[in-house]
Amino acid sequence: MEKIYNELIKYLSKDRVLKNEPMCKHTSFKIGGPADIFVKVNTIEELKNTLNIAKTNKIPVTCIGNGTNLLVKDKGIRGITIKLDFKDINVNGEEIEVGSGMQLPILAKTAYSNSLTGLEFASGIPGTVGGAVKMNAGAYGGEFKDIVVETTYLNSEQNLKKIQNKEHKFSYRYSIFDETNDIIISTKLKLKKGNKEFIKSKMEEFSLKRKEKQPINFPNAGSVFKRKNEYIPAEIIDKCGLKGYNIGDAYVSKLHAGFIINKGNATAQDVLNLIEHIKNVVRQNYYINLELEIKVIGE
Ligand SMILES: Cc1cc2nc3c(=O)[nH]c(=O)nc-3n(C[C@H](O)[C@H](O)[C@H](O)COP(=O)(O)OP(=O)(O)OC[C@H]3O[C@@H](n4cnc5c(N)ncnc54)[C@H](O)[C@@H]3O)c2cc1C
């Protein structure tokens, strides 16, 4: 890895190339073993240089945003882990073109400052635009699929491509980016002119609901399982009597049974064992196979 590190610091400042970087520092769960090499890239050129180094040295690449939907396993991530930090933002009438590393709360505030409505739902989602497009993030009746016009991405041949809304194949917490290793660079969103006071009041209302219903005082990664038309995982898990159940420091939240929280020193294995236990109990009681919403990566 030393050779790769030396190649990377030719293109990136040393503070953005970290060796054996604990991933618990970069995930909202505060769990995860070390990434062999962790880099932060700010430009497409830096991204391409990093990908070229990985390709020549035949090592794997993993891309992350804000790590708020991730469970990184305890032995960490081999190869290069890239945190995408593209943060450009351009407002043009009712459209916003925004870099994939932009944090959703900041994006929602920008929309508000410009009297644009349509992003209030995202103001309390702690991820980035890239993670949100890939996951079709949503809350309180809004989803990215409702506002995305087009997305620019880098494909595996390192060509910049664009896709329009329909081509994302959005569905519940899913987009076409789930099927590929393409890297989202930026997205164009279409909002509507709105009333600033009304936008603000909606953001405040959603923020209050989150504080009441979600265990925001403990590290977590949001809803662990996908909601389906037929059932809401949190309700089923609650009915199975699993609220407060724990393995090590990984607990089913008492406030919201769809969340697993880290009460201190939970390992990824604790969380995985807890997930397995929840799935088994739910299967036995309701004949339902819960599907994971969070992404499990690493080894
Ligand atoms: C307290 C809390 C509340 C939450 N509430 C919600 C909610 O209301 N609604 C909701 O939908 N989610 C919610 N989440 C989950 C999470 O915030 C979203 O899924 C978010 O969109 C993930 O973004 P991220 O940047 O953190 O992605 P990460 O967790 O870093 O990555 C998620 C996936 O996206 C990929 N990815 C990230 N960036 C890129 C990119 N630029 N190009 C290609 N792939 C990329 C990663 O490889 C990974 O597969 C919540 C999480 C927490 C901790």
Side-chain angles (χ1 to χ4, degrees):
M1 282 296 147
E2 203 54 35
K3 173 176 171 267
I4 292 158
Y5 173 82
N6 287 329
E7 286 181 38
L8 283 165
I9 56 170
K10 285 184 197 153
Y11 302 101
L12 296 164
S13 56
K14 278 188 180 171
D15 59 324
R16 288 194 284 135
V17 187
L18 306 169
K19 287 181 272 185
N20 283 321
E21 177 68 357
M23 286 304 293
C24 54
K25 287 189 181 172
H26 303 279
T27 58
S28 55
F29 242 146
K30 305 225 178 301
I31 291 174
D36 289 342
I37 295 190
F38 181 88
V39 302
K40 254 190 193 182
V41 300
N42 297 337
T43 64
I44 296 178
E45 201 187 333
E46 287 176 356
L47 175 62
K48 284 187 172 179
N49 285 334
T50 306
L51 293 172
N52 283 335
I53 291 170
K55 198 171 174 188
T56 343
N57 289 285
K58 298 195 172 66
I59 55 165
V61 163
T62 303
C63 287
I64 68 160
N66 224 17
T68 63
N69 202 46
L70 291 182
L71 177 64
V72 179
K73 290 193 190 171
D74 298 315
K75 288 191 181 140
I77 310 176
R78 303 291 71 81
I80 304 179
T81 302
I82 304 178
K83 180 171 168 97
L84 297 151
D85 227 11
F86 308 131
K87 289 210 164 101
D88 288 349
I89 185 157
N90 283 304
V91 183
N92 184 5
E94 295 187 336
E95 288 187 344
I96 301 185
E97 172 111 44
V98 58
S100 60
M102 174 57 75
Q103 279 150 3
L104 300 178
I106 301 176
L107 172 64
K109 270 194 198 126
T110 307
Y112 158 72
S113 317
N114 287 276
S115 306
L116 292 172
T117 180
L119 257 169
E120 296 87 337
F121 76 88
S123 59
I125 303 178
T128 62
V129 167
V133 170
K134 170 160 174 177
M135 300 299 302
N136 183 23
Y140 309 116
E143 281 180 304
F144 266 74
K145 80 170 170 40
D146 305 329
I147 51 173
V148 168
V149 176
E150 68 177 21
T151 294
T152 304
Y153 65 94
L154 198 68
N155 70 9
S156 43
E157 284 82 46
Q158 291 201 25
N159 296 315
L160 276 180
K161 298 271 178 192
K162 282 186 197 296
I163 52 169
Q164 304 303 304
N165 180 297
K166 285 271 177 297
E167 296 167 279
H168 288 69
K169 301 207 161 86
F170 285 125
S171 64
Y172 190 81
R173 304 296 172 263
Y174 172 88
S175 77
I176 189 78
F177 292 104
D178 234 3
E179 311 289 336
T180 68
N181 288 322
D182 297 337
I183 301 172
I184 299 166
I185 304 293
S186 65
T187 292
K188 195 190 277 178
L189 307 170
K190 173 83 168 66
L191 304 169
K192 285 198 180 103
K193 275 284 169 205
N195 174 288
K196 247 182 152 174
E197 282 314 303
F198 182 69
I199 297 169
K200 193 175 174 197
S201 70
K202 267 178 123 178
M203 282 163 62
E204 284 170 355
E205 180 197 327
F206 295 156
S207 157
L208 206 67
K209 279 191 182 162
R210 268 181 202 277
K211 280 187 191 136
E212 278 169 14
K213 303 225 165 93
Q214 295 183 0
I216 50 175
N217 295 330
F218 289 100
N220 68 75
S223 298
V224 176
F225 303 103
K226 280 190 185 176
R227 191 189 259 248
K228 297 278 165 177
N229 287 337
E230 306 78 45
Y231 61 86
I232 297 173
E235 285 179 9
I236 307 267
I237 296 166
D238 190 6
K239 281 188 192 156
C240 289
L242 288 169
K243 265 189 175 170
Y245 187 90
N246 74 300
I247 293 183
D249 263 350
Y251 284 73
V252 177
S253 163
K254 283 186 182 161
L255 195 59
H256 187 314
F259 279 53
I260 290 178
I261 54 175
N262 172 9
K263 279 207 177 173
N265 294 309
T267 61
Q269 197 55 52
D270 292 335
V271 177
L272 289 170
N273 291 344
L274 185 55
I275 287 173
E276 225 20 66
H277 180 74
I278 297 169
K279 283 175 118 176
N280 285 337
V281 174
V282 167
R283 199 179 299 118
Q284 279 159 17
N285 286 284
Y286 288 93
Y287 309 104
I288 284 171
N289 285 315
L290 291 175
E291 193 185 323
L292 270 192
E293 178 167 323
I294 59 171
K295 306 282 181 203
V296 181
I297 60 173
E299 52 183 47

